[in-house]
Amino acid sequence: SGIEMVIDSGNDSKMDQLRSQLLEAREHGKEQLAIALQFRIEERKILVSVANSREIPHDDNRLDESTMHLRSNETELDESILEFKAFVETFGLPVNKIEPKVVGNGIRIGAFATEFLNVGDAYISLPPTAVIGVDTALAHASKTSPDLEFLL
């Protein structure tokens, strides 16, 4: 038998608390706080909706511009992934069992296993020529950034 987790927003005291804080922030002219609270409320609605596998209500008029931006961003991410894969191939890694893919509705890149991995398995191995050592970092910083050299 499996375990099923369900979030029920019907009796959500945290949501009530956030709404109350939002009203108070608006009454006192604390606009930045009101925006942050409104964001948390909307985020909570989405998470509850996803957790309960219900359709997320949205305003089609507000999605047009951001949807176009996301599609553009996804194309840029796909191009970045191709460039990154080509770069990684130049190292001839002894172990490389992960690959980048676009995730999060096309807004970021995540790492995915290319094969089944057991606990303790190496999923990537970088040869010394593929990493920057302390000496190299210090030498570069001393030439380009005294502030960075001081931090190192």
Side-chain angles (χ1 to χ4, degrees):
S1 83
I3 297 173
E4 183 175 299
M5 296 179 64
V6 177
I7 299 173
D8 183 6
S9 65
N11 189 10
D12 192 348
S13 61
K14 183 65 176 174
M15 186 68 96
D16 292 339
Q17 182 183 10
L18 288 169
R19 287 185 180 120
S20 174
Q21 290 173 341
L22 174 61
L23 290 173
E24 186 177 323
R26 285 182 176 158
E27 287 173 4
H28 291 92
K30 297 179 178 178
E31 208 48 44
Q32 288 183 330
L33 178 59
I35 291 169
L37 289 166
Q38 185 66 50
F39 174 82
R40 295 284 294 151
I41 290 168
E42 296 304 319
E43 177 184 50
R44 195 167 185 87
K45 286 179 190 176
I46 291 169
L47 292 173
V48 167
S49 181
V50 169
N52 290 325
S53 299
R54 292 190 302 252
E55 191 171 321
I56 301 169
H58 61 275
D59 180 355
D60 288 331
N61 295 328
R62 294 174 61 191
L63 290 178
D64 293 337
E65 195 172 308
S66 62
T67 302
M68 288 180 354
H69 174 71
L70 287 177
R71 287 188 183 132
S72 166
N73 188 39
E74 189 170 356
T75 301
E76 291 172 15
L77 290 176
D78 286 335
E79 291 171 6
S80 295
I81 287 173
L82 291 174
E83 290 174 14
F84 180 75
K85 283 181 173 182
F87 171 73
V88 169
E89 285 177 18
T90 66
F91 293 108
L93 303 178
V95 177
N96 186 9
K97 298 179 183 178
I98 58 173
E99 67 179 358
K101 291 185 182 179
V102 175
V103 295
N105 293 326
I107 59 173
R108 58 190 171 101
I109 297 173
F112 288 81
T114 58
E115 61 186 73
F116 182 80
L117 298 170
N118 290 306
V119 173
D121 284 354
Y123 55 87
I124 193 162
S125 176
L126 302 171
T129 57
V131 295
I132 298 174
V134 174
D135 294 335
T136 304
L138 285 171
H140 181 71
S142 69
K143 295 176 187 171
T144 60
S145 175
D147 292 336
L148 179 59
E149 180 184 25
F150 175 75
L151 289 173
L152 296 174

